[in-house]
Amino acid sequence: MDVLLQHLINGLVLGGTYALLGIGLTLIFGLMNVVNFAHGEFYTLGAYTAFAALALAGVGFFTALGTAIVVGAALGGLCERVLLRPLRGESIDTTMLVMIGVWIAMQNAELLGWGGVAKTIPHPFPTAPLTLGPLSVAPLRVFVFVTALALIAAAHLLIQRTRLGRAMRATFQDRDTAALMGVRIGRIHTATFAFGSALAAAAGALLGPVFLVYPSMGDLASLKAFSVVILGGLGNLAGATLGGLVLGVAEELGAGYVSSGYRDAVGFVIIILVLLFRPSGLFARAERIG
Amino acid sequence: MSMRWLSTLLLTLAVFALVTSGSAQAPGTVKIGVIQPLSGPVAASGNYVRMGAEIARDWINARGGIEGRKIDLLIEDNKSDPKEAASAAEKLIVRDKVPVLMGAWGSSMTLAAMPKLEEYGVPMVVETSSAASVTKRGNPWVFRISPPSEMEALGLEQYVDKLAVKKADFLAVNTDWGRGSIQAFGDMLKKKGVQVGAAEFMEQAATDMNAQLTKIKQSGGDTLFLTTAVEQITLVLKQGQEQRLQRKVVTTGGSSSPTQLIKQAGPAAEGSYHIVFFMPWFPEAMPDAKLAKAFVDEWGKRGHPFEGLTEGFRGHDGIATIAEAVKLAGKDDPKAIRDALWRVNFTGVNGPIKFEKDGPAGKESGQSKPSIFIVQIRDAKVVLPEFMAKR
Amino acid sequence: MIVLARTALAVALVTAPLWLASSYHVHVLIMAGIFVILASSLNVLLGYTGLLSLGHAAFFGIGAYTSALLALKLEWSFWLALPAAAALAGTAGWAIGRLALKLRGAYFVLVTISFAGVIALVSTNWMELTNGPLGLPGIPAPALGPWSLRTKTAYYYLVLAAAAVAYLVCARLVRSRIGRAFLALRENEPLAESVGVDSTHYLVLATVVSAAMAGVAGSLYAHYTRFVSPEVFLFSYTVTMVIMVVAGGKGTLAGPVVGAVLFTILPEALREATSWQWQMLVYGVLLVLLVFFLPRGIVPGLQRLAPRRTP
């Protein structure tokens, strides 16, 4: 029983970060219809930015996190403005190919710039785990989980309660009407992509200290993010949140009770099964956005 | 169609580019081909081996080369991909006409290049690969100076009692190396009456091993044998600490780079044991202390990272072995060098290098018996375990 | 003029082993030939039906492993193993096609990626069948009666023949009613359906043909390199294939050929010039630039330079 609970805890903590990745992508993929294969690269970028800030510039942990978010947003916005906006009318394949190009370019640039050796990000939390009977969890992971949830909540608030959020929802529900009502469509697109990328960068900055930072860390992250998005339904933030947690727990339980080798297959299988049987996602509701 | 015409032109130009892009070689040099992963996930290791090889080359050339002829290293990147390893071997042998090779780091890369050795009759010194099949496939052009997992396990046998291992669990990376290691160490331990508990795997790119660690914790062994690259070892140690996995850890394979572990895993690495094939922290304990110290010093002089030494020495020993063989052969002919390799008998950084027959009769490969050491991390420093006497 | 160009090309290819400087160059052409088949197979889906499959490495790998295992474990002759590999790969393609028939665009892509991911994990973990990461060494070279096709020259002609056949199959497919149906579906599916084009039927057909061709390429690869390991499922192969098709010109017959040859020869020629990392970086940037400036690829771009009637 304790083993099961330990697996659950492991799964939830991991799931929180999957959720963070998923929310960013569900906005980009779900709302903008861009198959962002470079999403994982923004995750990696966030991790390297945090590393640079902490290990090289020596700033505090929270400042590093903030820097990562800002850099992610800036680069995301730039990406959208320069690469995606001119292609807006094109087929989905075209944008997909562009993002694949960005993915390859970013990853190899990172390899060239930082080298292939993994980096550790120092963090201020004690290494001794928090314990509750036979269960243990590291303080850093608790922090990551809590922060992830906070960011998710902030994202929800932004979409539901702010003017920007309203404008986003309007744009993606009915672009022409939104334009007629005075919404600056171009800006909304840029802002949405920037926002999604910022969330990915945040996930990277949070997970960087937990694991290690290396150039190919984003590949699996990308695919798992897609898994979460499909599980939760495109454009569905609550769905993505739940989906992330579900994926995390499913992976843990799969690795624990079935086979650790096939751990990553869980995400793939989810994609296949959901798309075949319930393409709108497990948690889809009538309303598509938010 | 003019498009076809232009396509033909393009094709011809491309082939022409290929034909004419040859590397100009200095005449009168001894060419040695080196195939290593210089890009991709294990690029760091491949580069360390390259650095070691370059030190060997420079030393030999400074001493006048081989009978007056300088060594020229032709280094190719196998991109951590077996297909590229085969391509690189092809290019080096056919286009650059090297009479001997060193490579290709990973076992699957080496295995992919091996058919080329037989096809063209060129010997290769294998400096890192650990899969048993490398020397058991009946390829008489293969000479390995690194230990296969079985030999490594045998090297540890004498310390099993001193380490007080009663029940062992395994966690290895899911590659030829990891699987081979579990097999070899498992067999050795069972022969010594040690109980074998869980055997878990992790994918090469995996970062979260909590599921496996939870299962290992449940298994209740007293020692965890860990086989993977240094980054994953760091993660396993840290996550093990988080799960309060209290047991001895022994890493195998020689790639654990304890110095890097201390830096990255910190207190989580405390008390762990590591099987290594070179001890740069105390070169005086190596079979040829003077050579070992000189190597460590030269490495540092060139500004290479200290943690790379545990792998870089392989490059040195590989090139030194080849140079020995070329000297004994007296000429650049691949077959003569192959025959000479059987007569090689000297001491490299790791220790004595002499090839024994390994594999099916009539087509044996060469396998040397490298020295195997065990070190421990105590008080954030690398030390010799109390029980260890010099091998 | 055209005929002259075509014959010149044919003669050049057929006599290649004679005038190429070394067997290394023949080796490069053999690899190029295998990728021509692979790129053409992807083109059937991406170029002609408009379905992007990013899991094509899976069909390649299935073909390679099937052929290898049949030759090694059951001692089948290469000439039986190759069609079996194509058949199994084609069946996998059929499964994907049928399962994904409701999906288009991004969803289809994701299913193909996931499928490839699962197959890759199976090949690494199912030790009893695939020997996992240790791979399958010692795959026998094909033999034609008493002659072994182990030599470069012999294998080159084998691959050349296979590539020619693949090209012809594509050409006939494209010019047939089936090909027109593909194009109709690519351009405007609802309209095509309304005129009676059964999209399910044709899309599944496209996937099967595409997968089977990739399987053939896999088998040829396995018997040439004589070693297969899970690295055949590396995503970088898929990416390379995509670049070959997109750069060469998707939806054209010569496009994937040009792309395959170019992107096999280029990395080899650039070996000494730059590190692999820089090359990959350039490929990434190149992909982006291509999408913007040469969206239809090199071959159509050349066509525009020399305006003649297109086929």
Side-chain angles (χ1 to χ4, degrees):
Chain A
M1 188 52 193
D2 335 319
V3 177
L4 177 64
L5 282 175
Q6 183 68 58
H7 278 308
L8 278 174
I9 292 186
N10 296 342
L12 281 174
V13 169
L14 204 55
T17 31
Y18 287 164
L20 204 55
L21 272 169
I23 294 188
L25 190 60
T26 208
L27 288 174
I28 293 175
F29 184 25
L31 301 190
M32 297 173 65
N33 212 23
V34 171
V35 190
N36 187 9
F37 279 115
H39 200 66
E41 289 309 309
F42 285 97
Y43 168 78
T44 313
L45 180 73
Y48 271 111
T49 310
F51 170 73
L54 275 166
L56 303 179
V59 302
F61 196 63
F62 292 90
T63 320
L65 183 60
T67 318
I69 292 181
V70 166
V71 169
L75 201 68
L78 187 69
C79 217
E80 200 282 333
R81 186 70 191 76
V82 172
L83 296 175
L84 293 173
R85 193 183 295 194
L87 296 176
R88 195 151 334 121
E90 301 286 333
S91 75
I92 199 170
D93 292 343
T94 316
T95 42
M96 195 161 14
L97 288 170
V98 167
M99 293 323 288
I100 291 178
V102 172
W103 172 19
I104 302 172
M106 275 179 83
Q107 195 173 118
N108 284 283
E110 255 140 21
L111 260 166
L112 282 168
W114 294 104
V117 180
K119 316 256 184 247
T120 343
I121 300 186
H123 62 87
F125 296 93
T127 44
L130 299 171
T131 63
L132 188 68
L135 309 172
S136 15
V137 67
L140 173 63
R141 294 209 183 211
V142 175
F143 166 74
V144 165
F145 185 62
V146 168
T147 313
L149 287 185
L151 284 171
I152 292 171
H156 274 267
L157 283 175
L158 189 132
I159 298 286
Q160 298 292 77
R161 297 288 167 86
T162 66
R163 252 181 56 195
L164 176 63
R166 252 205 314 274
M168 280 179 171
R169 281 184 285 138
T171 309
F172 297 118
Q173 242 171 358
D174 188 335
R175 196 168 82 182
D176 299 318
T177 312
L180 286 173
M181 302 289 284
V183 174
R184 310 279 284 274
I185 305 296
R187 290 227 193 129
I188 295 297
H189 275 254
T190 311
T192 312
F193 199 89
F195 186 49
S197 305
L199 287 174
L206 283 174
L207 278 184
V210 176
F211 300 130
L212 290 169
V213 182
Y214 52 99
S216 49
M217 64 193 279
D219 292 348
L220 270 179
S222 260
L223 291 175
K224 296 196 181 172
F226 276 108
S227 197
V228 169
V229 168
I230 286 169
L231 197 52
L234 262 67
N236 187 336
L237 268 93
T241 312
L242 273 172
L245 295 172
V246 167
L247 180 64
V249 172
E251 270 191 8
E252 261 303 301
L253 293 178
Y257 292 108
V258 180
S259 154
S260 35
Y262 286 103
R263 182 203 189 99
D264 296 325
V266 175
F268 294 135
V269 171
I270 286 182
I271 289 183
I272 295 177
L273 290 178
V274 173
L275 282 179
L276 290 181
F277 299 113
R278 245 198 106 143
S280 52
L282 284 185
F283 308 110
R285 272 178 268 289
E287 198 207 321
R288 228 180 109 241
I289 301 120
Chain B
M1 278 148 284
S2 63
M3 147 191 72
R4 290 274 187 83
W5 177 233
L6 285 159
S7 312
T8 321
L9 203 65
L10 211 74
L11 205 144
T12 324
L13 281 172
V15 173
F16 206 65
L18 194 63
V19 168
T20 51
S21 64
S23 39
Q25 260 105 56
T29 57
V30 176
K31 291 183 278 199
I32 302 178
V34 175
I35 305 176
Q36 289 291 310
L38 301 175
S39 60
V42 291
S45 305
N47 276 295
Y48 292 149
V49 172
R50 174 186 58 84
M51 294 173 198
E54 285 165 351
I55 292 182
R57 170 199 63 195
D58 295 339
W59 277 353
I60 295 174
N61 285 349
R63 290 198 292 263
I66 303 175
E67 320 269 286
R69 293 164 66 210
K70 300 228 186 263
I71 295 183
D72 194 9
L73 289 183
L74 275 71
I75 304 176
E76 288 294 332
D77 179 9
N78 68 28
K79 301 171 190 163
S80 310
D81 179 358
K83 157 177 152 288
E84 290 299 322
S87 272
E90 177 89 33
K91 174 189 172 283
L92 285 168
I93 295 175
V94 176
R95 234 181 63 179
D96 301 319
K97 306 213 187 335
V98 300
V100 61
L101 297 164
M102 177 178 85
W105 200 85
S107 301
S108 39
M109 298 159 223
T110 305
L111 285 168
M114 275 165 53
K116 302 280 177 190
L117 303 175
E118 241 177 322
E119 183 179 347
Y120 294 108
V122 173
M124 181 162 88
V125 170
V126 175
E127 85 300 329
T128 308
S129 310
S130 64
S133 45
V134 169
T135 44
K136 298 260 194 278
R137 291 210 56 84
N139 187 326
W141 301 91
V142 170
F143 292 83
R144 175 159 57 178
I145 58 173
S146 51
S149 304
E150 291 76 19
M151 222 179 250
E152 224 194 304
L154 280 175
L156 186 67
E157 203 177 352
Q158 52 184 309
Y159 303 118
V160 171
D161 301 320
K162 303 216 184 95
L163 281 168
V165 184
K166 294 283 181 304
K167 180 169 181 197
D169 298 307
F170 291 93
L171 179 56
V173 63
N174 189 12
T175 62
D176 41 26
W177 170 42
R179 287 194 176 257
S181 209
I182 292 193
Q183 181 78 38
F185 279 88
D187 289 344
M188 182 272 287
L189 287 170
K190 278 189 222 158
K191 263 201 282 205
K192 293 218 55 151
V194 173
Q195 222 195 330
V196 169
E200 292 293 317
F201 292 99
M202 44 199 164
E203 290 304 308
Q204 227 175 352
T207 47
D208 193 305
M209 273 66 77
N210 277 305
Q212 291 94 322
L213 287 168
T214 307
K215 278 199 269 192
I216 288 172
K217 199 167 154 194
Q218 234 192 331
S219 155
D222 56 70
T223 311
L224 173 62
F225 282 85
L226 190 51
T227 308
T228 182
V230 60
E231 287 87 4
Q232 256 184 342
I233 296 181
T234 307
L235 291 170
V236 169
L237 290 177
K238 279 165 88 166
Q239 286 162 21
Q241 188 184 45
E242 287 165 16
Q243 287 211 32
R244 287 176 298 158
L245 192 76
Q246 273 124 1
R247 58 191 66 188
K248 276 193 294 296
V249 172
V250 178
T251 72
T252 78
S255 310
S256 52
S257 190
T259 312
Q260 197 172 333
L261 275 182
I262 295 176
K263 265 199 240 172
Q264 294 191 319
E270 192 63 25
S272 54
Y273 295 91
H274 306 273
I275 297 180
V276 293
F277 310 125
F278 178 38
M279 297 187 292
W281 316 274
F282 8 94
E284 59 283 353
M286 298 295 296
D288 184 341
K290 219 176 85 181
L291 175 62
K293 180 117 195 9
F295 185 69
V296 175
D297 290 340
E298 180 68 25
W299 185 272
K301 245 201 291 186
R302 295 186 180 213
H304 297 327
F306 189 84
E307 46 267 24
L309 275 163
T310 43
E311 290 194 79
F313 81 92
R314 302 195 217 246
H316 171 277
D317 281 359
I319 298 299
T321 307
I322 292 176
E324 242 336 87
V326 174
K327 196 171 82 184
L328 287 171
K331 50 184 164 153
D332 266 12
D333 173 59
K335 190 160 182 322
I337 297 179
R338 196 265 305 256
D339 296 336
L341 278 164
W342 286 110
R343 303 201 301 271
V344 161
N345 189 351
F346 78 114
T347 307
V349 172
N350 161 271
I353 296 179
K354 182 165 159 15
F355 295 104
E356 310 281 334
K357 294 198 178 191
D358 193 8
K363 309 188 274 171
E364 292 95 346
S365 313
Q367 175 70 58
S368 175
K369 235 177 151 243
S371 316
I372 295 173
F373 311 98
I374 180 166
V375 296
Q376 191 185 17
I377 295 180
R378 266 208 319 269
D379 302 325
K381 281 204 300 287
V382 182
V383 298
L384 282 170
E386 317 83 31
F387 56 73
M388 185 165 138
K390 200 174 110 165
R391 186 181 187 275
Chain C
M1 187 59 192
I2 297 154
V3 176
L4 196 65
R6 271 203 224 175
T7 10
L9 179 62
V11 167
L13 285 177
V14 167
T15 59
L18 298 172
W19 53 265
L20 282 176
S22 72
S23 60
Y24 163 67
H25 298 98
V26 180
H27 158 81
V28 176
L29 277 189
I30 292 177
M31 293 306 290
I34 293 177
F35 271 95
V36 162
I37 301 175
L38 208 46
S40 299
S41 80
L42 184 62
N43 190 31
V44 170
L45 275 184
L46 175 57
Y48 287 107
T49 54
L51 285 173
L52 176 59
S53 155
L54 285 185
H56 239 61
F59 303 125
F60 177 68
I62 289 176
Y65 266 100
T66 307
S67 203
L69 285 169
L70 286 174
L72 281 171
K73 303 255 169 100
L74 296 180
E75 293 182 16
W76 279 28
S77 139
F78 165 77
W79 306 103
L80 290 174
L82 179 108
L88 200 63
T91 315
W94 177 84
I96 293 292
R98 277 230 75 97
L99 290 175
L101 39 80
K102 289 176 285 177
L103 307 171
R104 296 287 181 275
Y107 297 118
F108 185 75
V109 178
L110 287 171
V111 167
T112 57
I113 296 183
S114 308
F115 174 67
V118 171
I119 297 283
L121 282 171
V122 167
S123 83
T124 342
N125 284 290
W126 196 355
M127 296 291 295
E128 298 79 38
L129 182 67
T130 64
N131 210 19
L134 279 76
L136 299 169
I139 303 172
L144 196 58
W147 302 294
S148 164
L149 289 179
R150 197 184 254 228
T151 66
K152 283 275 178 344
T153 315
Y155 214 87
Y156 169 73
Y157 285 118
L158 176 65
V159 170
L160 184 64
V165 169
Y167 183 84
L168 286 169
V169 166
C170 286
R172 302 237 56 199
L173 196 66
V174 161
R175 289 177 191 143
S176 71
R177 245 188 65 205
I178 301 176
R180 283 200 292 278
F182 285 166
L183 287 172
L185 287 168
R186 182 186 78 191
E187 295 306 320
N188 193 331
E189 199 177 319
L191 183 60
E193 292 236 317
S194 73
V195 207
V197 175
D198 181 353
S199 66
T200 312
H201 171 74
Y202 285 107
L203 291 176
V204 172
L205 182 65
T207 335
V208 170
V209 169
S210 175
M213 269 177 75
V216 167
S219 171
L220 286 170
Y221 170 82
H223 290 273
Y224 176 60
T225 55
R226 311 230 292 283
F227 174 72
V228 174
S229 66
E231 275 92 354
V232 292
F233 295 109
L234 276 175
F235 196 66
S236 59
Y237 282 113
T238 305
V239 169
T240 310
M241 271 187 259
V242 169
I243 292 186
M244 285 174 178
V245 174
V246 171
K250 55 181 166 140
T252 68
L253 284 173
V257 176
V258 171
V261 171
L262 205 58
F263 284 96
T264 309
I265 293 187
L266 219 53
E268 288 292 331
L270 289 176
R271 253 184 203 282
E272 276 129 56
T274 57
S275 82
W276 182 232
Q277 244 76 78
W278 276 108
Q279 285 178 45
M280 284 298 281
L281 178 60
V282 169
Y283 290 161
V285 174
L286 189 69
L287 196 51
V288 175
L289 291 176
L290 277 172
V291 169
F292 274 92
F293 298 113
L294 212 57
R296 294 180 52 211
I298 293 179
V299 168
L302 288 175
Q303 268 179 288
R304 260 184 289 153
L305 274 183
R308 294 250 181 149
R309 232 165 358 112
T310 46

